Amino acid sequence: MSLMPEDADPSESHAAARGAAANSPPNRVTFNRFELNRILNLYGRMVADGEWRDYAIDFLRDRAVFSVYRRASEVPIYRIEKDPRLARKQGMYSVISATGLILRRGQELDRVLLVIDRKPVLV
């Protein structure tokens, strides 16, 4: 037994459900491909230098977090966070130290990562 009127098209109710789902906010905040590529490039250089050894990625409801560890058993030395709620205020990207100090915050990921991205020094 159907709860729909007999003259109603069943595909219309599915289309309405899909339209409502498309307008709803996402369940999680994630890094897009460009952001993740930029972060992993930095991570790879720091691993090659022997400074970083492990990482973790958390996609939470309100923010995405990329945590960097010196050793797997320690607390993260840096957290790279993306919080879209701050996009119009201070910037959605931030780098946070192990002590919780926000080292830099801004609208552009590349500029925010400069605080932990060291350029090679000529000797």
Side-chain angles (χ1 to χ4, degrees):
M1 180 168 203
S2 176
L3 298 176
M4 291 179 23
E6 293 183 21
D7 60 340
D9 183 13
S11 63
E12 290 177 3
S13 63
H14 293 295
R18 272 186 274 130
N23 293 335
S24 66
N27 292 343
R28 297 181 194 173
V29 176
T30 60
F31 292 109
N32 64 30
R33 181 175 289 200
F34 169 77
E35 295 163 342
L36 201 54
N37 187 27
R38 176 64 179 99
I39 292 170
L40 288 174
N41 282 339
L42 172 62
Y43 175 77
R45 284 198 314 273
M46 297 304 251
V47 167
D49 289 343
E51 293 191 28
W52 297 352
R53 303 206 183 215
D54 202 5
Y55 72 92
I57 301 176
D58 296 313
F59 298 125
L60 306 172
R61 184 174 297 272
D62 60 340
R63 67 185 186 274
V65 182
F66 187 95
S67 303
V68 177
Y69 297 87
R70 185 161 297 158
R71 290 181 191 82
S73 62
E74 295 181 348
V75 297
I77 54 176
Y78 295 111
R79 290 188 332 248
I80 302 164
E81 292 192 1
K82 176 182 178 181
D83 191 347
R85 294 175 300 166
L86 300 175
R88 294 187 179 197
K89 297 177 184 174
Q90 301 159 341
M92 76 169 116
Y93 302 106
S94 60
V95 174
I96 303 170
S97 71
T99 60
L101 178 68
I102 297 174
L103 301 176
R104 184 170 286 177
R105 179 175 281 157
Q107 301 288 346
E108 298 174 13
L109 181 61
D110 289 334
R111 294 184 57 100
V112 171
L113 290 179
L114 287 176
V115 74
I116 54 177
D117 187 9
R118 289 185 286 124
K119 300 293 181 200
V121 178
L122 295 176
V123 179

